[in-house]
Amino acid sequence: MVLVNSGHTFNYETENLCRVFYPLEKIETVNEDKDGERKIVTEKKDEKISVKISFGEEEKYLEKICEENADFELEIATLLFKCLSEITSYVPQWGLLTGVRPSKLMIKLAEEMGEEGARKYFREKLLVSDQKTNLAMNVASCEEKIISRSGEKSFSLYVSIPFCPTRCNYCSFVSHSIEKTKKLMSPYVDRLCEEIALTGGIAKELGLRLETVYFGGGTPTTLTAEQLEKLLDAVENNFDLSTCFEYTVEAGRPDTVTKEKLDVLKKKGVTRISINPQTFNDSVLENIGRRHTSEETLKAFSLAREAGFDNINMDLIAGLSGDTLESFSKTLDIVNRLSPENVTVHTLALKRSSNLAGDTEGLSSGILANEMINLSHEKLRENGFVPYYMYRQSKSLGNLENVGWCKISFECAYNIFMMEECHTILACGAGAVTKLKDPHSNVIERIFNFKYPYEYNDRLPELLERKKRILSFYSER
C-alpha cells in the first residue's frame, strides 16, 4: 500500500491510522505522488483537506473545508478515519487514538478540563467509543492513586533475565531459548551481580528511595534456584529494601516453576509472582511454541499457593492462532476458579521481530479478538476484578488494548510507575533500559544496556561507565 501525504507532513499519525485498519499490510509513506495498485492520498490545500482511497475498482473520496486556525493534523486524521471506516465497514473502538498510553492522556485531559470534559474530548474529538472511554477513565482513576505514592526521591529497580525455555512465536522481546544460550547463563548472572552492585551504590549516593523491584525477561525462573538466590542476595546487599513495598519476580513459564525456586523467592522477600498460562487450550499452546500443558500451569499455581504466595498474576492473550471464543471463555472460567490476585489480558500484537510476523496463518480476526476482550471484561468484573493499568501496542489485532485487572488493593505498582513514567526506573541486565525521570518536570532520559547476553557479558565495563550518567543527571536537576 502507498500512502501519499500531499501538502502536509503528518506522516506518523496517518500511517499509524492506516495500520489500524490494515495491520498485516506493508505501508510505504511518501510526500510526493507515487503510483500504486493500492493507494491512499491525503491532501491539504490551504483550508481544504481531502482523502482519496483507490484500491483497484474500490474507490472512496471525502473532503472538507476547515477553519483557518484548525488543528489540521486532527482534521486530516478524522477524515482519513471516516474514509477507512466506510471502505472497510469497520469502526475501531479506540477511534483516532494510536498511542501507547490512553490512560495517561485521560489523566492529562481530566486535569485540564475536568472529568466530563475529558470524556467528551475522547468521544467527540478522538472518536473513541463509550466503552473504551469509560475503560480509560476507570484505569486513570486507579492509576492516580498509585502515582500519588511516588515522591521526589522515589525509584524502581528492574532486573532483566533474557532467557526462556523456548521462544514463543509472538514474542518480540530480547529473550533466548536456553537450548542455544545455556553456556551464557552462569557468566551472565555474575555480570548482572556486578551491575546490580554498581547501580545500588549510585542509588545510595543519591539518596534515592526504592519502592518496587521487578524481575522480568524472558523468564527469570529459567535460572536455577542457586542462581536466583545469588541475584536476590545481590539486590538485598546493595539496595535499601526497607522502603520497598512490592517485589515481583516473573515465573511466567509454568514448566520452569519448582518448589525449590519458589521457596528461594519466598525466603528472599519476593511478594508477587506471575504464572502465565496465556491459554488453557493445549493445542493453542502447541501452536505458539510453549512446551508446557494446562495441567502443568495448574500444578505450578498450586505450588505457589503452597509456598505462601498470596499475590499472583496470570497473563492471557486474546487472538492466538487456533483459539476460539468458546475456548477463550473456558480459559477465563479456569482463571476465575483459580482466583489469582492479578489477571493481565493482552491482545495479540504482530510484532516485526517475532516469528509470527512471517507466518500469520490461522490468526484470529480483529472482530474475534474484540469479542474475546469484551468477554474478558464481563467475566473478570463478575468475579471482583477491576482494571488498574493499560497500555497499547502497534499492530495489535483490532487495534485493541492490554489491560491489567486486579482484586481490590492488589494493583501492581511497578506496572503503573513504568507505564506512566512517573518516576525513575533503574534497570540492570541485557536489553534493559534505565529511564531517568526529572522529579520537577516531564524530562526523561534513557540509558540503554547492551541488547544481547553475549554482548552484555563481554562489554560490561563499558556499560558500567555509561551508567555513571545517572549521577550527573541528578546533579543537573
Side-chain angles (χ1 to χ4, degrees), residues 282-351:
D282 283 347
S283 64
V284 174
L285 287 173
E286 186 175 350
N287 289 343
I288 63 177
R290 288 172 82 94
R291 293 181 184 171
H292 67 83
T293 63
S294 299
E295 186 61 33
E296 285 178 283
T297 303
L298 297 175
K299 289 178 180 177
F301 189 89
S302 179
L303 278 175
R305 287 296 198 216
E306 290 171 9
F309 284 98
D310 58 4
N311 191 353
I312 300 176
N313 172 74
M314 303 191 90
D315 278 8
L316 305 177
I317 300 179
L320 292 171
S321 178
D323 213 359
T324 66
L325 187 61
E326 181 183 6
S327 60
F328 187 76
S329 179
K330 289 179 179 177
T331 289
L332 289 167
D333 289 341
I334 293 170
V335 168
N336 278 322
R337 283 200 299 272
L338 292 172
S339 194
E341 286 64 40
N342 281 200
V343 179
T344 308
V345 182
H346 300 266
T347 304
L348 182 66
L350 309 177
K351 290 298 187 179

Side-chain angles (χ1 to χ4, degrees), residues 138-154:
N138 290 340
V139 170
S141 298
C142 190
E143 286 183 341
E144 281 189 298
K145 296 174 187 175
I146 301 298
I147 291 171
S148 67
R149 300 182 67 167
S150 182
E152 183 175 326
K153 291 289 188 177
S154 298

Side-chain angles (χ1 to χ4, degrees), residues 299-471:
K299 289 178 180 177
F301 189 89
S302 179
L303 278 175
R305 287 296 198 216
E306 290 171 9
F309 284 98
D310 58 4
N311 191 353
I312 300 176
N313 172 74
M314 303 191 90
D315 278 8
L316 305 177
I317 300 179
L320 292 171
S321 178
D323 213 359
T324 66
L325 187 61
E326 181 183 6
S327 60
F328 187 76
S329 179
K330 289 179 179 177
T331 289
L332 289 167
D333 289 341
I334 293 170
V335 168
N336 278 322
R337 283 200 299 272
L338 292 172
S339 194
E341 286 64 40
N342 281 200
V343 179
T344 308
V345 182
H346 300 266
T347 304
L348 182 66
L350 309 177
K351 290 298 187 179
R352 183 175 54 191
S353 56
S354 69
N355 295 334
L356 185 61
D359 182 13
T360 57
E361 185 177 351
L363 285 183
S364 300
S365 67
I367 294 172
L368 177 56
N370 186 57
E371 291 175 345
M372 291 175 170
I373 291 295
N374 288 341
L375 186 63
S376 72
H377 285 223
E378 176 187 331
K379 292 203 168 198
L380 291 172
R381 286 186 189 278
E382 286 176 355
N383 284 272
F385 290 93
V386 295
Y388 77 92
Y389 104 110
M390 171 174 57
Y391 67 101
R392 301 173 66 229
Q393 295 173 284
S394 63
K395 297 186 179 180
S396 63
L397 298 180
N399 193 37
L400 295 165
E401 69 280 354
N402 306 322
V403 179
W405 298 80
C406 70
K407 298 288 181 67
I408 300 299
S409 300
F410 280 96
E411 301 90 350
C412 175
Y414 172 83
N415 283 339
I416 295 171
F417 294 151
M418 177 271 299
M419 188 53 57
E420 301 307 328
E421 299 179 324
C422 56
H423 74 207
T424 286
I425 309 289
L426 299 182
C428 299
V433 180
T434 288
K435 290 184 182 180
L436 302 174
K437 169 71 167 61
D438 182 350
H440 308 295
S441 73
N442 291 323
V443 171
I444 292 175
E445 185 175 317
R446 290 168 171 80
I447 301 173
F448 294 87
N449 282 16
F450 295 116
K451 191 173 183 180
Y452 301 106
Y454 69 87
E455 191 178 21
Y456 178 87
N457 288 352
D458 292 343
R459 301 175 65 185
L460 185 65
E462 292 177 54
L463 174 58
L464 298 184
E465 189 65 29
R466 188 186 302 173
K467 292 195 80 169
K468 292 179 182 178
R469 170 58 188 157
I470 300 168
L471 288 167

Side-chain angles (χ1 to χ4, degrees), residues 66-103:
C66 303
E67 296 179 1
E68 186 177 353
N69 61 347
D71 181 342
F72 282 98
E73 183 174 17
L74 181 63
E75 293 285 359
I76 289 171
T78 302
L79 203 63
L80 176 60
F81 180 86
K82 290 179 178 178
C83 210
L84 288 168
S85 294
E86 289 186 21
I87 204 166
T88 62
S89 300
Y90 172 59
V91 182
Q93 291 195 55
W94 282 105
L96 306 183
L97 271 182
T98 59
V100 174
R101 303 174 178 88
S103 53

Side-chain angles (χ1 to χ4, degrees), residues 13-21 77 80-81 84 95-96 98:
E13 187 61 30
T14 53
E15 182 177 324
N16 280 343
L17 264 182
C18 290
R19 190 167 284 117
V20 166
F21 290 85
L80 176 60
F81 180 86
L84 288 168
L96 306 183
T98 59

